[in-house]
Amino acid sequence: MEIYGEYDVVIAGGGTSGVAAAIASARAGARTLLIERLGALGGQMNVSGPPGFAYAYMFNPRREQIIAGIMEETHRRLLEAGHALPHTTPDFRVGYSFALVDPDYWGLLVFQMMAENNVELLLHSLVVDAVMEGDAIRGVIVENPSGRQTVLGKVVIDCTGEGELAARAGAPCDQVPKEELEPHTVSFTVDGVDWDKVLGYVKENAAYEFNAMTHPYLGWTEEEIVERIRRVEDVREITNFMGYYTLRDRAVAAGEYHPYSGVGFFIMPRDNGVLQAHFQHSSQVGNADPTDVRDLTRCEIECRAQIRMALGFIKRYMPGFENSYLTRVCPELRIRESRRIVGDYVLCKRDVAEARKFPDVIGKSSFASGAKHVATADTISYEGIVYPKDGGSYDIPYRCLVPRKVENLLVAGKAISTDRASYARFLQLTMVTGQAAGVAAALAARQGITPRRLEADVTELQRVLQQQGAILFGTH
């Protein structure tokens, strides 16, 4: 078999975690190869969605910024170029902050950043197996139009999202039965929206038609939330619109909308101040195992049938969308839940609730534990939900990136080691863990040690992450 090359760090998967890992690894001095099965980089940011709904929860409810680094850098660069909106942290939405970007320009930017940082790319290449020597991974096997090749690396990072490489390498993984997995989605975007009419309807019906997603730490009453929304002057203050409950129920009863998802959309900025509406809850298919290709195929088919119905509902029922038109259907399924590795530490619900801090912190999050998407009109189940105490955030320990039983391997993105309740596959956390894995891999390769050995002293890892802009300390 052809040896494609030998590298310090090899990264499987060019989605949000893989992109961050590659940039961080290269900036830390490692010769880095990023392998991606598609011709595009970005994954859930600009391929599977939700495009433009990006970078939520960069601030906790106390208005403390808890996420920066490479993710913040891409937002800043796009904002300066006119392809993003500023951070939105209005008083009633603090804790659910957004920094919305144009997904296509983001995709162009990350290619530019690969070149700037001398990251080597191997595109149109599917990682199909691990090259093992005992319990240590030494590289990966890929298949592409050139045939089958071997890529060798001192350290390998699994950024496949579903822990595919880790599973093939023999790392222990956990996954709930498919009947309990979150549903998977194909997102889509429409333009031609009358935003003044949308805002008017929202303000008029704020009391019963919408979920304002106001963080409970803020202590707002429902009456105060409604009054505040009625004072909104710019639709960009709201950023995401969850609800239309009466309209949805009427359409379902009339057979003009399917009962497997709610109605919600996010603002997506485009050139010249244009705003589009991006829908990521209007097609959902549950009872599907993303490690089973038959289930994945069924999801792709069913989601597109649901999108056709959703588009009719949007134009017929939603004020302001009468003249809307489809501009984008994401080319592949957004997988909400799959495998999680079992790492040297398993982040748990109690860690989230207590806003726990760890000595081996590599990033932060203020996401709640316990909320899950469901394939019903309710969209999200909040049973057993807990929030970090005092409006703060919790640390993500480095040990969550290190799988048990396999050496020379790190995992970043959706598949890091957590309990099921605390599993967070959102874009910002994938980039946080990707950046940390990239730096850790580069340091391990330089020192000639396994990533697990870094657990004994993470001082240098934390120093380099902070040098790269990551926020690790000093917040609640």
Side-chain angles (χ1 to χ4, degrees):
M1 192 184 305
E2 176 191 354
I3 303 294
Y4 181 85
E6 299 185 32
Y7 298 85
D8 296 326
V9 176
V10 173
I11 302 163
T16 47
S17 63
V19 163
I23 295 169
S25 170
R27 287 179 176 176
R31 187 185 178 208
T32 303
L33 178 72
L34 178 60
I35 305 171
E36 167 55 37
R37 62 185 174 84
L38 303 174
L41 300 175
Q44 63 176 313
M45 179 61 228
N46 66 331
V47 176
S48 62
F53 165 42
Y55 305 171
Y57 294 81
M58 292 180 72
F59 294 79
N60 66 23
R62 291 174 169 268
R63 295 186 182 270
E64 298 171 329
Q65 186 167 358
I66 58 172
I67 296 176
I70 291 170
M71 192 177 75
E72 170 75 349
E73 177 185 344
T74 62
H75 174 254
R76 174 184 54 78
R77 291 176 67 164
L78 290 175
L79 183 65
E80 292 172 352
H83 304 307
L85 296 178
H87 290 294
T88 58
T89 54
D91 49 6
F92 70 101
R93 293 295 297 278
V94 176
Y96 296 106
S97 60
F98 294 90
L100 302 165
V101 306
D102 184 312
D104 292 316
Y105 277 100
W106 193 91
L108 295 175
L109 174 62
V110 293
F111 267 96
Q112 179 183 342
M113 294 175 75
M114 295 299 128
E116 291 171 353
N117 292 283
N118 298 313
V119 174
E120 295 188 43
L121 298 177
L122 178 57
L123 304 178
H124 299 286
S125 298
L126 179 66
V127 174
V128 297
D129 211 346
V131 178
M132 302 297 296
E133 185 177 289
D135 62 356
I137 187 169
R138 299 301 183 191
V140 299
I141 296 173
V142 300
E143 288 188 353
N144 54 40
S146 299
R148 178 170 278 214
Q149 301 158 319
T150 297
V151 181
L152 301 177
K154 295 177 182 177
V155 179
V156 177
I157 308 175
D158 182 341
C159 292
T160 61
E162 282 62 64
E164 293 176 1
L165 179 59
R168 284 167 172 75
C173 299
D174 190 18
Q175 179 177 307
V176 298
K178 72 176 187 178
E179 296 82 5
E180 301 174 28
L181 286 171
E182 295 188 68
H184 315 301
T185 292
V186 174
S187 301
F188 64 94
T189 305
V190 302
D191 202 345
V193 181
D194 182 337
W195 289 105
D196 290 336
K197 194 170 183 179
V198 169
L199 184 56
Y201 183 81
V202 170
K203 293 165 72 169
E204 183 179 342
N205 297 277
Y208 53 88
E209 276 282 72
F210 294 95
N211 178 0
M213 292 182 64
T214 299
H215 199 287
Y217 169 78
L218 302 176
W220 287 67
T221 66
E222 291 187 12
E223 293 76 14
E224 289 171 334
I225 293 170
V226 169
E227 179 58 32
R228 176 64 181 87
I229 291 176
R230 286 173 177 165
R231 298 199 308 270
V232 170
E233 296 182 357
D234 189 330
V235 72
R236 287 170 290 190
E237 279 192 69
I238 300 178
T239 65
N240 69 322
F241 299 76
M242 307 297 294
Y244 292 91
Y245 303 121
T246 302
L247 301 182
R248 177 204 64 197
D249 293 346
R250 190 191 311 159
V252 170
E256 295 184 310
Y257 196 57
H258 59 85
Y260 305 114
S261 61
V263 180
F265 62 90
F266 303 85
I267 287 177
M268 190 170 81
R270 307 298 294 197
D271 278 344
N272 303 315
V274 171
L275 300 177
Q276 294 183 330
H278 181 77
F279 291 78
Q280 65 131 343
H281 294 294
S282 294
S283 72
Q284 296 191 140
V285 178
N287 193 29
D289 181 355
T291 67
D292 184 333
V293 71
R294 294 172 180 82
D295 278 355
L296 287 177
T297 301
R298 175 171 61 85
C299 286
E300 297 279 10
I301 296 168
E302 178 59 27
C303 278
R304 284 164 175 80
Q306 292 180 5
I307 287 173
R308 291 197 300 272
M309 180 170 275
L311 288 168
F313 163 80
I314 289 165
K315 289 178 70 70
R316 285 193 293 270
Y317 283 85
M318 293 175 61
F321 285 82
E322 294 86 351
N323 297 313
S324 63
Y325 52 90
L326 182 68
T327 59
R328 170 198 287 248
V329 175
C330 288
E332 67 175 15
L333 198 69
R334 181 189 184 205
I335 297 173
R336 281 204 172 95
E337 185 176 9
S338 185
R339 297 185 189 93
R340 292 165 281 111
I341 65 160
V342 180
D344 286 348
Y345 187 82
V346 180
L347 188 77
C348 67
K349 193 172 188 177
R350 186 173 179 181
D351 297 329
V352 174
E354 295 182 359
R356 186 164 289 167
K357 305 301 184 285
F358 294 93
D360 60 336
V361 54
I362 50 82
K364 293 179 176 293
S365 174
S366 62
F367 269 104
S369 176
K372 293 296 172 186
H373 281 79
V374 291
T376 71
D378 293 329
T379 304
I380 300 176
S381 168
Y382 293 99
E383 183 177 353
I385 189 171
V386 297
Y387 297 87
K389 69 177 183 180
D390 301 327
S393 61
Y394 53 94
D395 288 351
I396 303 171
Y398 170 64
R399 290 163 291 161
C400 289
L401 280 57
V402 184
R404 298 177 189 174
K405 298 185 178 181
V406 178
E407 300 298 333
N408 295 335
L409 179 66
L410 288 166
V411 176
K414 294 190 294 184
I416 68 167
S417 178
T418 72
D419 66 12
R420 200 262 172 149
S422 307
Y423 171 83
R425 72 289 188 278
F426 298 96
L427 182 150
Q428 60 278 18
L429 297 186
T430 65
M431 293 193 72
V432 166
T433 57
Q435 183 171 0
V439 172
L443 294 178
R446 182 196 309 164
Q447 297 172 28
I449 63 174
T450 66
R452 198 179 316 278
R453 288 274 303 279
L454 282 179
E455 291 179 8
D457 184 1
V458 296
T459 305
E460 179 66 4
L461 169 58
Q462 291 171 336
R463 185 192 69 79
V464 177
L465 282 172
Q466 288 181 293
Q467 188 179 55
Q468 292 190 1
I471 297 172
L472 303 182
F473 308 106
T475 66
H476 288 81

